[in-house]
DNA sequence: AGCCTAAAGCTAATCGCGTTAGCTTGAGTT
DNA sequence: AACTCAAGCTAACGCGATTAGCTTTAGGCT
C-alpha cells in the first residue's frame, strides 16, 4: 500500500491551521484539499465529512487550550495563577481564532466523545486555580461560571473585533483580570477567610 | 401594482422569528420562503441576498436589545440599574438566541450602516448605567469592556448549553451580577495590579 | 369602465460545494 | 512476479443560493 503521507493528525492539523487563517466559517473541503495538494474528493479518504473535520479541529483546540492553561497555572497560585491562566487563554484565542470558533461550534457527539475529557481538563485547571482563593464550596460553581463568562466573552469580543479603540485592549484585559482577582479575594475575605 | 402583503419589515421579522426557532446557522432561503407561503426565488423580490437578510436580522436584534436594556435601566441607578439591565440582556438572548447570533455574526457594512447607531445605543445604555458608580474616567472604558465581556460571555455560554448543571444557572447569574456590582462599588482595579 | 405599468409570483436553469461511485495506481507483502 | 488495498483521481449527484425571464394582477390614470 502507498505510504501514508497524510495521517489523521496531520490532516486535522492542516485544517486547524487553515481555519485560523481564513476563519472557521470559511472552511471548505476544497480549500483544505488544495492545501494538502490533493483533489477534494480524495479528502474523504481521511475524513468522513466536513462536520467530522470541524469536530476534530474542536477536539484539538480544546486539548491545546487545556495544555497551555494548565502549563500557565502550574507552579503559581492565587492572583498569579489567575493572571497567567487568563493570559494563556487570551493568547491562545488570539493566535488560534479559527480553532477556538470550532470548539465553540461543536457539541459532544456522544458519551465517549474525546471532546468531553478535553473540556473537563480545561475546567479542572480553572477549578484548581480557583481553589487557591479559598472560596466557599457553594460559591465555587458560580465563581467558575463567572470566570468562564468573562474570559470567553472577552476573547470572543476581541476576536470579533468588538473593541473599537483597540489601542488599550491589553490594558483593559489587565484591568479585567485585576477586577476578577480582587472580587475573588473580597469574596473569600467576606467569609472571614482573610489572612490578617 | 399588487398590494404589498410582504413588507421589508415583515420579511425581516419572519426571518428573525425563524432564526430563533431553528438556529442562526440553519437559516435557509427555502425555509423562510415556505414560512411566508412563497417559493424560494420569489424571496429575492424582498431581499437581495441571504447575507443581507442576516444583516437585517442583526440590525433588528441590536435595536430590540438596545430598547429593552434602555427600558430596564430607565428610572434606576447603581446596583438596581445594573441588575435590571443585565437581566434584560440575558432574557433577550434566551428568548431570541437566533437574533443574538445574527448580531454577533455581522460586521458593519459601511459608515452609514444602521447597525452602528444600534450598537452605539446599547453601549450608551451601559455607559449611562456605569456612570452611576462614579468610576474614575480613565477606568470607564475598562469597566465597560469587562461588563460587556461577562454579559456576552454568560449569554453565549448559556445559549450554547455550556453550563452543564443547568439547575442553578439563575443563581449563578445573580451571583455574577452581585460580583460585578461589588467590584464596581469597590473601585476594584483602581488599586493594585496583578498583570503577569 | 378600461387600459397600462410595475411589483410580486412562478418555473426553469445556473453555480458552487459537499458528497458518493467507481476506476487506477503503486508500495509492500507473499 | 503476483496480489492487495490504501490513497488518488474523474465523473456525477444533490441541495441550497442565486439569476433569467415569463405571467399575473392590482392601482393609478384617462
Amino acid at each position: 500500500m502507498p505510504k501514508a503521507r497524510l495521517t489523521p493528525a496531520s490532516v486535522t492539523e492542516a485544517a486547524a491551521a487553515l481555519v485560523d487563517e481564513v476563519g472557521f466559517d470559511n472552511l471548505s473541503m476544497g480549500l483544505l484539499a488544495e492545501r494538502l495538494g490533493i483533489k477534494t474528493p480524495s479528502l474523504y479518504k481521511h475524513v468522513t465529512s466536513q462536520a467530522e473535520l470541524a469536530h476534530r479541529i474542536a477536539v484539538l483546540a480544546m486539548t491545546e487550550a487545556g495544555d497551555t492553561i494548565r502549563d500557565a497555572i502550574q507552579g503559581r497560585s492565587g492572583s498569579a495563577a489567575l493572571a497567567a491562566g487568563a493570559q494563556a487563554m487570551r493568547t491562545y484565542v488570539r493566535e488560534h481564532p479559527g480553532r477556538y470558533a470550532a470548539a465553540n461550534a461543536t457539541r459532544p457527539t456522544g458519551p465517549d466523545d474525546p471532546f468531553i475529557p478535553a473540556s473537563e481538563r480545561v475546567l479542572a485547571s480553572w477549578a484548581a486555580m480557583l481553589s487557591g482563593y479559598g472560596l466557599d464550596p457553594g460559591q465555587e460553581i458560580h465563581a467558575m461560571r463567572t470566570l468562564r463568562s468573562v474570559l470567553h466573552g472577552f476573547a470572543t469580543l476581541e476576536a470579533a473585533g468588538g473593541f473599537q479603540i483597540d489601542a488599550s485592549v491589553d490594558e483593559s484585559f489587565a484591568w479585567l483580570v485585576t477586577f476578577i482577582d480582587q472580587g475573588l479575594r473580597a469574596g473569600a475575605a467576606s467569609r472571614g477567610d482573610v489572612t490578617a
Side-chain angles (χ1 to χ4, degrees), chain A:
Chain A
M1 43 204 139
K3 61 193 165 209
R5 328 186 302 92
L6 267 34
T7 67
S10 75
V11 170
T12 305
E13 183 60 47
L18 175 60
V19 120
D20 282 336
E21 291 173 37
V22 303
F24 177 62
D25 26 40
N26 290 325
L27 172 62
S28 79
M29 300 302 266
L31 226 41
L32 177 58
E34 187 182 26
R35 192 66 69 95
L36 293 172
I38 61 181
K39 301 292 179 175
T40 306
S42 305
L43 255 188
Y44 289 80
K45 288 287 152 72
H46 305 282
V47 160
T48 67
S49 70
Q50 182 168 336
E52 189 236 14
L53 178 63
H55 190 261
R56 276 161 54 175
I57 299 173
V59 173
L60 173 65
M62 199 55 95
T63 304
E64 287 177 341
D67 285 350
T68 50
I69 293 168
R70 171 177 44 69
D71 291 352
I73 289 177
Q74 284 287 16
R76 301 180 218 263
S77 69
S79 307
L82 169 61
Q87 191 55 252
M89 166 154 169
R90 179 186 174 214
T91 300
Y92 184 80
V93 177
R94 290 177 76 177
E95 289 174 355
H96 304 292
R99 298 174 205 224
Y100 190 68
N104 289 328
T106 215
R107 291 291 87 204
T109 58
D112 53 352
D113 187 337
F115 184 76
I116 296 178
S119 342
E120 280 168 352
R121 285 179 57 251
V122 173
L123 295 182
S125 283
W126 292 133
M129 181 234 93
L130 281 177
S131 74
Y133 283 91
L135 296 170
D136 189 79
Q139 313 229 331
E140 277 184 339
I141 177 72
H142 306 313
M144 167 77 97
R145 285 170 172 177
T146 297
L147 176 71
R148 286 176 63 202
S149 295
V150 233
L151 296 181
H152 171 70
F154 191 96
T156 53
L157 284 175
E158 183 179 22
F163 298 134
Q164 299 301 5
I165 316 108
D166 45 28
S168 56
V169 173
D170 287 356
E171 205 181 321
S172 292
F173 190 68
W175 192 94
L176 179 154
V177 170
T178 302
F179 183 91
I180 299 296
D181 176 59
Q182 296 190 348
L184 291 174
R185 291 165 97 79
S190 73
R191 284 180 317 286
D193 270 18
V194 91
T195 50

